[in-house]
Amino acid sequence: MKQIFDFLRKISGGRLTQKQVDAANTAIATASDTVISDMLGIAVDVMSVSKFGVDLICGFEGKRLVAYDDGVGVWTIGFGTTIYPNGIRVKKGDTCTEAQAKVYMAHDLKKFEQAVNDAVNVPLNQNQFDALVSLTYNIGTGAFKDSTLLKRLNAGDYQAAANQFDVWVKAGGKTMQGLVNRRKVEKELFGKALK
C-alpha cells in the first residue's frame, strides 16, 4: 500500500489532497493486487497465510462456539475472534456455529495478513510470514506495528527479530505458559529460513 501512495505522490508532484487519497483508497479496495501492480508498473507482493499457518493459528486459538473471557477481559469466540466481521465486539453469552467460526477466522486473517504485508519491508518466506501472522493474530496489529521485532526485521536483522518472539509471553502482566509455548513454536517456524 505504501508503494502505491509513494508512486501517486511522485506523479502528482509530491502531495496528495484528501480527495485524491480517498479516491485512491476506493480504487485500491475494489481492484485486485495484480491489476494495481500492472497499472502502476510496480511489484505489489502480497502474501497469504498457508494452510499450515491457518491450522497452526487454529490449533493455538482452539475452537470455542460459546464466547469466553480470554483471561484479560476480552470476550472471544470461534478461533480467537474478538470483533465480528460487521464490527461488533464479541460479548458474554454469544454463540456461533463451526461454519460461522470459520467465516470469522477467514475475515480476521485478512486483517492480520494485511497488517504484516503493509508493515514488513524486507523479503519473507512462507514460514516467516505464517509465524508473523500468527503472532499478530494473537497480540494485535497495533502491538505488532509498534514492536521492536518489526523494527529489527525491517532493519534486516532476522535473527534479532526472531529473538523478539520471546518477549511476547505475558497477558495482564503475567507470564502465561500457553504464550511461552506458542512463541516457541512461532519462533522456530520463523527461524526455519535462517538455517
Side-chain angles (χ1 to χ4, degrees):
M1 189 78 93
K2 182 178 180 319
Q3 286 178 302
I4 293 168
F5 281 98
D6 288 346
F7 178 79
L8 292 173
R9 276 191 284 283
K10 182 178 176 184
I11 64 172
S12 70
R15 295 189 58 96
L16 295 174
T17 66
Q18 187 60 48
K19 188 175 180 178
Q20 289 169 318
V21 170
D22 293 342
N25 278 329
T26 300
I28 291 165
T30 58
S32 74
D33 297 316
T34 304
V35 170
I36 293 168
S37 177
D38 291 346
M39 282 178 9
L40 299 178
I42 59 175
V44 180
D45 293 330
V46 177
M47 295 184 75
S48 298
V49 175
S50 69
K51 180 172 179 349
F52 175 83
V54 171
D55 291 344
L56 181 74
I57 294 168
C58 286
F60 285 137
E61 295 294 335
K63 177 181 66 182
R64 305 275 291 272
L65 303 181
V66 176
Y68 64 97
D69 181 326
D70 72 349
V72 292
V74 178
W75 288 96
T76 308
I77 200 164
F79 297 100
T81 295
T82 58
I83 300 174
Y84 294 112
N86 64 5
I88 295 173
R89 288 195 168 279
V90 174
K91 64 186 181 314
K92 183 178 183 176
D94 286 357
T95 62
C96 69
T97 65
E98 183 167 351
Q100 287 172 316
K102 289 178 180 178
V103 169
Y104 301 155
M105 169 76 164
H107 179 267
D108 290 346
L109 272 178
K110 287 182 186 352
K111 175 176 66 171
F112 296 109
E113 288 170 337
Q114 188 66 49
V116 173
N117 277 311
D118 288 348
V120 175
N121 299 323
V122 295
L124 297 174
N125 72 20
Q126 190 65 54
N127 288 336
Q128 292 166 325
F129 184 78
D130 288 354
L132 291 173
V133 172
S134 178
L135 173 72
T136 305
Y137 196 96
N138 185 241
I139 68 172
T141 58
F144 175 70
K145 289 177 183 177
D146 293 336
S147 70
T148 300
L149 185 155
L150 179 62
K151 289 177 183 74
R152 299 280 191 271
L153 181 59
N154 281 337
D157 192 340
Y158 291 81
Q159 186 58 57
N163 292 338
Q164 285 294 308
F165 279 88
D166 299 330
V167 171
W168 296 96
V169 295
K170 295 187 181 204
K174 295 181 182 178
T175 299
M176 306 290 279
Q177 190 59 48
L179 293 178
V180 171
N181 298 343
R182 180 174 184 158
R183 297 293 104 83
K184 180 178 186 232
V185 172
E186 291 167 344
K187 180 179 179 180
E188 287 173 1
L189 179 62
F190 182 88
K192 282 190 176 183
L194 301 176
K195 295 183 177 36

